[in-house]
Coordinates of all heavy atoms in Angstrom, one line a residue:
L218 N -205.3 124.0 -138.2 CA -206.3 123.0 -138.1 C -206.0 121.9 -137.1 O -206.9 121.4 -136.4 CB -206.7 122.4 -139.5 CG -207.8 121.4 -139.5 CD1 -209.1 122.1 -139.0 CD2 -208.0 120.8 -140.9
V219 N -204.7 121.6 -137.0 CA -204.4 120.6 -136.0 C -204.6 121.1 -134.6 O -205.2 120.3 -133.7 CB -202.8 120.2 -136.1 CG1 -202.5 119.2 -135.1 CG2 -202.6 119.6 -137.5
W220 N -204.3 122.3 -134.3 CA -204.5 122.9 -133.0 C -206.1 123.1 -132.7 O -206.5 122.8 -131.6 CB -203.8 124.3 -132.8 CG -202.4 124.2 -132.7 CD1 -201.4 124.4 -133.6 CD2 -201.7 123.7 -131.4 NE1 -200.2 124.1 -133.0 CE2 -200.3 123.7 -131.7 CE3 -202.2 123.2 -130.3 CZ2 -199.4 123.2 -130.8 CZ3 -201.3 122.8 -129.3 CH2 -199.9 122.8 -129.6
I221 N -206.8 123.4 -133.8 CA -208.2 123.5 -133.6 C -208.8 122.1 -133.3 O -209.7 122.0 -132.3 CB -208.9 124.0 -134.9 CG1 -208.6 125.5 -135.1 CG2 -210.4 123.8 -134.9 CD1 -209.0 126.0 -136.5
T222 N -208.3 121.1 -133.9 CA -208.7 119.7 -133.6 C -208.4 119.3 -132.2 O -209.2 118.7 -131.5 CB -208.1 118.7 -134.6 OG1 -208.5 119.1 -135.9 CG2 -208.5 117.3 -134.3
I223 N -207.2 119.6 -131.8 CA -206.7 119.3 -130.4 C -207.6 120.0 -129.4 O -208.1 119.4 -128.4 CB -205.3 119.7 -130.2 CG1 -204.3 118.8 -131.0 CG2 -204.9 119.7 -128.7 CD1 -202.9 119.2 -130.9
L224 N -207.9 121.3 -129.6 CA -208.8 122.0 -128.7 C -210.2 121.5 -128.7 O -210.8 121.3 -127.6 CB -208.8 123.5 -129.0 CG -207.5 124.2 -128.8 CD1 -207.6 125.7 -129.3 CD2 -207.2 124.3 -127.3
Y225 N -210.7 121.1 -129.9 CA -212.1 120.6 -130.0 C -212.2 119.3 -129.2 O -213.1 119.1 -128.4 CB -212.5 120.4 -131.4 CG -213.9 119.8 -131.5 CD1 -215.0 120.6 -131.5 CD2 -214.1 118.4 -131.6 CE1 -216.3 120.1 -131.5 CE2 -215.3 117.9 -131.6 CZ -216.4 118.7 -131.6 OH -217.7 118.2 -131.6
V226 N -211.2 118.4 -129.5 CA -211.3 117.0 -128.9 C -211.1 117.2 -127.4 O -211.6 116.3 -126.6 CB -210.4 116.0 -129.5 CG1 -210.8 115.8 -131.0 CG2 -208.9 116.4 -129.5
A227 N -210.3 118.1 -126.9 CA -210.0 118.2 -125.5 C -211.2 118.8 -124.8 O -211.6 118.3 -123.7 CB -208.8 119.2 -125.3
V228 N -211.8 119.9 -125.3 CA -212.9 120.5 -124.7 C -214.3 119.8 -124.9 O -215.0 119.5 -123.9 CB -213.1 122.0 -125.1 CG1 -214.3 122.7 -124.4 CG2 -211.8 122.7 -124.7
F229 N -214.6 119.6 -126.1 CA -215.9 119.0 -126.4 C -216.0 117.5 -126.6 O -216.9 116.9 -126.1 CB -216.4 119.7 -127.8 CG -216.5 121.1 -127.7 CD1 -215.6 122.0 -128.3 CD2 -217.6 121.7 -127.0 CE1 -215.8 123.3 -128.2 CE2 -217.7 123.1 -126.9 CZ -216.8 123.9 -127.6
A230 N -214.9 116.9 -127.2 CA -215.0 115.4 -127.4 C -214.3 114.7 -126.3 O -214.2 113.5 -126.3 CB -214.4 115.1 -128.8
T231 N -213.8 115.3 -125.2 CA -213.2 114.6 -124.1 C -213.9 115.1 -122.8 O -214.6 114.4 -122.2 CB -211.7 114.8 -124.0 OG1 -211.1 114.4 -125.2 CG2 -211.1 114.0 -122.9
A232 N -213.5 116.4 -122.4 CA -214.0 116.9 -121.1 C -215.6 116.8 -121.1 O -216.2 116.3 -120.1 CB -213.6 118.3 -120.9
A233 N -216.2 117.4 -122.1 CA -217.7 117.4 -122.1 C -218.3 116.0 -122.3 O -219.2 115.6 -121.5 CB -218.2 118.3 -123.3
T234 N -217.7 115.2 -123.2 CA -218.4 113.9 -123.5 C -218.1 112.9 -122.3 O -219.0 112.1 -122.1 CB -217.9 113.3 -124.8 OG1 -216.5 113.2 -124.8 CG2 -218.3 114.2 -126.0
V235 N -217.0 113.0 -121.7 CA -216.8 112.1 -120.6 C -217.7 112.3 -119.5 O -218.3 111.5 -118.8 CB -215.3 112.1 -120.1 CG1 -215.1 111.3 -118.9 CG2 -214.3 111.6 -121.2
V236 N -217.9 113.7 -119.2 CA -218.9 114.0 -118.1 C -220.3 113.5 -118.6 O -221.0 112.9 -117.8 CB -218.9 115.5 -117.9 CG1 -220.1 115.9 -117.0 CG2 -217.7 116.0 -117.3
L237 N -220.7 113.8 -119.8 CA -222.0 113.4 -120.3 C -222.2 111.9 -120.2 O -223.2 111.3 -119.9 CB -222.2 113.9 -121.7 CG -222.4 115.4 -121.9 CD1 -222.3 115.7 -123.4 CD2 -223.6 115.9 -121.3
L238 N -221.1 111.2 -120.6 CA -221.2 109.7 -120.7 C -221.3 109.1 -119.2 O -222.1 108.2 -119.0 CB -220.0 109.1 -121.3 CG -219.9 107.6 -121.4 CD1 -221.0 107.1 -122.2 CD2 -218.5 107.2 -122.1
Q239 N -220.5 109.6 -118.4 CA -220.6 109.1 -117.0 C -221.9 109.5 -116.3 O -222.5 108.8 -115.5 CB -219.4 109.5 -116.2 CG -218.1 108.9 -116.7 CD -216.9 109.0 -115.7 OE1 -217.1 109.5 -114.6 NE2 -215.8 108.5 -116.1
F240 N -222.4 110.7 -116.6 CA -223.6 111.2 -116.1 C -224.7 110.3 -116.5 O -225.6 109.9 -115.7 CB -223.9 112.6 -116.6 CG -225.2 113.3 -116.2 CD1 -225.3 113.9 -115.0 CD2 -226.3 113.1 -117.0 CE1 -226.5 114.5 -114.6 CE2 -227.5 113.7 -116.6 CZ -227.6 114.4 -115.4
A241 N -224.8 109.9 -117.8 CA -225.8 109.1 -118.3 C -225.6 107.6 -117.9 O -226.6 106.9 -117.6 CB -225.7 109.1 -119.9
A242 N -224.4 107.2 -117.7 CA -224.2 105.8 -117.3 C -224.7 105.5 -115.9 O -224.9 104.3 -115.6 CB -222.7 105.5 -117.4
L243 N -224.8 106.5 -115.1 CA -225.3 106.4 -113.7 C -226.9 106.5 -113.7 O -227.4 106.3 -112.7 CB -224.7 107.4 -112.8 CG -223.2 107.4 -112.6 CD1 -222.7 108.5 -111.8 CD2 -222.8 106.0 -112.0

Side-chain angles (χ1 to χ4, degrees):
L218 184 59
V219 178
W220 285 107
I221 291 173
T222 300
I223 291 174
L224 290 174
Y225 178 87
V226 296
V228 177
F229 298 106
T231 304
T234 58
V235 173
V236 171
L237 290 169
L238 180 60
Q239 295 196 0
F240 179 88
L243 296 174

